[in-house]
Structures are given as C-alpha cells and as structure tokens.
Amino acid sequence: MNAAPPPTLMLHDRFARELAEMAVPWQAEKTPDPRLLVLNEPLAAELGFDPASLRNTEGVRLLTGNSLPRGAAPVAQAYAGHQFGGFSPRLGDGRALLLGEVTDVEGRLRDIHLKGSGRTPFARGGDGLAVVGPMLREYVVSEAMHALGIPTTRSLAVVATGRSVRRETLLPGAVLTRVASSHLRVGSFQYARGTGDIDLLRRLADHAITRHHPSAAESEHPYLALFEAVLAAQASLVAKWMLVGFVHGVMNTDNMTISGETIDYGPCAFMDAFDPAAVFSSIDGGGRYSYGNQPVIAEWNLARLAEALLPLFHEDQEQAVTLAVESLDAFREQYGAAWSAGMRDKLGVADRVDDQVTSRLVDDLLALLAENRVDHTLFFRNLGSAARGASEAARAMFIDLAAFDAWTARWRALSPDAEVMDRVNPVYIPRNHLVEEALTAATDGELDPLNRLLRAVTSPYDERPGLERYADTAPECFGSYRTYCGT
Ligand code: AMP
Ligand code: MG
C-alpha cells in the first residue's frame, strides 16, 4: 500500500463504451472562480490520487471536470424511474456527469462522478446546477454512513464554483465529486427495457454482473441470479438504514442502486425521536418514504427491477413472471433476518437466546420508544451503559418509568453484552440541528463547524471528550425538521 500514486491518473470509459446507447458525451460547465471547500484525503489516497495534488489549481480543475485526466470521456447517463410511484421513461443525469472509472489501489473499479456540473440534454427545466449547502450535506451524510459501516456512494470533494445559483434566493454554487462502485440504478434497467432493445438490456445486465455480482455469471440462470443478488444487497442495506434510524427520503427507482450502495442524499435525515411515521422531506406529504415504509418501498422498487428484467428471465413471459415472483418472495425473509440480527446486537443479546423471546422484546421496546418519543440514537447508546449497571441515563428518557423498568428487567435477564452494543450503537450521527448549523456557516464561508462535525461523525462509535454536544439531542427551539429536495 506504500506504492507512490501515479503522477497522472488514468480514467477508463467502460460504461461509455459498453453502453453507448445510455451515455451522452458531454462536458462540465466552466467554473468561474473555483474554491476547494472540503477534500476527502483518505478516499483520494484509496483512489490512487496524490491528495496534495488535488488541492492545487490543476487538482481543483480536475475535481470540477474543467480539466480532464487521460482517457476521460465524460458522459451524462440515461435512466428512467418511478418517482413517487409515477413513471418517467427519461430522466437521466440532468446536472451530473460520469467522468469515468478509475481502478483503485485495491484493484476495484470506481466511478468518478460530478454533481452540479451544468445542464445536460437530460436537464429538462432544471438549471443543471447545485448549491453549497446540499452538496456539503451529501458529503457529511454519505461519509457518516460509510463510517457507520453502511454501503454508500462516497464524497471525494466539494468545490464552490464562484457562481451564484438562483433558488428561493441567490446561493453559492458548488460541484460535488462523487465516487461509487457504479451509478447503475433500478432506473437504468427500466430505461434499457423501455427502449425495446433486448440486446441493450442484456449488455446492461452483463455489465452489472461483471461489476457487482460476478458470481451470478456462474449460475444456471445468470439474470435471475443477478436479480437475486441485487435483492439480497438491498435487503441488507435497508435493514442497516432502519437499525440506525436513517430516512432516505426519496426512494424513487432512479435512486436505488444495483450495487446495494445508498445513493442520492437529497431530503434524507436521521430521525431523532423514534417514530415509524417520520418523514423529513418537504415534498413527501403522503409519507410514502417515511422511516417505517422503507422496507416495503424497497420491495416495490425491486418488483419494478424484476419487471424490467423479465425478457431475460425466460423466453415465455408467463414463466418469467413465475420465476420473478418466486425470487421476490425472498425479500421479506432476508430483510427480516438482517433486521433481527442487527437488533440482537443493538440490545447485546446473544444468539443462544430464543428468536421469539428476542423479537417480542424488540417489538415491546419499539412501542415504548414511540410512545415516549425517545431519541433513537441516544437511547441505544445509553442502554449500553445500562448493561454495565448505570441505567439512570436511559431511564430518564422515559415518561412511563414503570413500563421502562418492566422492560429492562426482561432484557437484563438475558445478560446483555455492553461491548457488543457499543460496537454497533453510534454515539455520533449527523444530527439535523448540527448539519443545519454546519451548512449555514459554510454557506457564509465559515468551514470550522463543518470540519468539527465531520470529525465527530467519521468515528461514530468512539466516544471522545469535548464532543458532548455532538452526542446530544436537538435543543427544544430547533422544532420539527424539514429538508428540501432537488437543490
Ligand atoms: P433527484 O431527485 O435529485 O434524484 O433528481 C431527479 C432527476 O431530476 C434527475 O434526472 C436529475 O438529474 C434531475 N435534476 C435534479 N435537479 C436538477 C437541476 N437543478 N437541473 C437539472 N436536472 C436536475
Ligand atoms: Mg437521483
């Protein structure tokens, strides 16, 4: 791992070459006065960049697509998608570009992608731009997710462009440099299927198998195996979201990856008080993408993926549907298993304890948390202290103390392991009030709060003195939280 990084980075154009029908060659808009706001040095090194070289003028031009590395053939990717249940056959990168793929130091292929790089042929009415606040929000939340051990796209850098962008007011523009194991989405398959070109659909599936689920190629039914692998990855991913109280906010099929990485941090948030109905997005009045609905929506999205893949499952479409339905059936069981195993660890309960006992304990706890509006993250961390005998902090979070005491007695009888708990229950998450505070300051040019928040949330399990306010709940005056989409 000590090998010196290559002086100039080589980008591949594999997606652009293999799937040209879904790739529109395009260039990033010129940035008038680029200024690097934040750079992810460990990620840069992982990709084979010399981190220092990304800080100079040429490096910043590279991060915004204003200067292209060797081999780069940037494209806007075409995809379709169900947005809030309604189908759009042509969405695509309206304000984003795939610069190309890089082979990282471990030999893995990673996409280098820009968000906010100007209008593309997919922009429709949009301006193709992004602003500092939401791009830094994606940076903070995606890096927090990664540190929590949750598969996600990564954030390499945010560069302020020096250009004003019109939203409700004029705001400073920015470009996010995003890294992902790919940007293939459920919506990519919906797009390919929509063209009616089965050869394209097959090439897309083959591309996805090679990049993400190579074992599917060995299967007797590779395309069904691909579907089952995506389903398994998504069941595991959404269980992880649920275990940390993450609300994605806009689980449209164009925002669900084939790799199983979390993508598109728009109106996302971590819930404070436990509430299955928690919604933060200003445009999700019906609660379609509420916390508690996420597993059901994931399953619904996977059904849309299966529909898109039907011609590859079997020549006879009736048999193809039968196969798809059988495979889709596995989602609930796989999700349930991932969730139950995760909850066991959150409670520190050993595997030998009966499943039924644990599941009743979990159900009763969640009902109590909801009734008492208890902060999800802080509760589980305090429960770790309770496992060590100091239960006052957890107890003080409840109004109904008798109910808490009764539940705790049942839990304690199972000899919970505090160390297991502390490894999975984070101290620091990107709490909404802290994210807002950091983004407001950064929009005004003050980056210290952002950097402090990043230090806390990128080591989420490691409790450190001096960071108490990063572990605490929002002050009363913060009120109920709303986030805004598509900015
Ligand atoms: P999102 O909700 O961010 O996943 O985006 C949904 C679709 O809208 C995608 O096709 C985006 O490329 C497009 N889009 C979002 N914001 C903009 C914008 N400011 N300009 C152009 N296209 C946009
Ligand atoms: Mg999107």
Side-chain angles (χ1 to χ4, degrees), residues 79 185 254-255 264:
Y79 51 84
R185 310 143 191 265
D254 52 305
N255 291 338
D264 265 4

Side-chain angles (χ1 to χ4, degrees), residues 197-217:
D197 180 348
I198 302 304
D199 175 61
L200 172 64
L201 184 65
R202 184 172 288 111
R203 274 186 287 125
L204 177 61
D206 289 338
H207 180 97
I209 288 173
T210 321
R211 282 191 80 168
H212 301 300
H213 305 292
S215 62

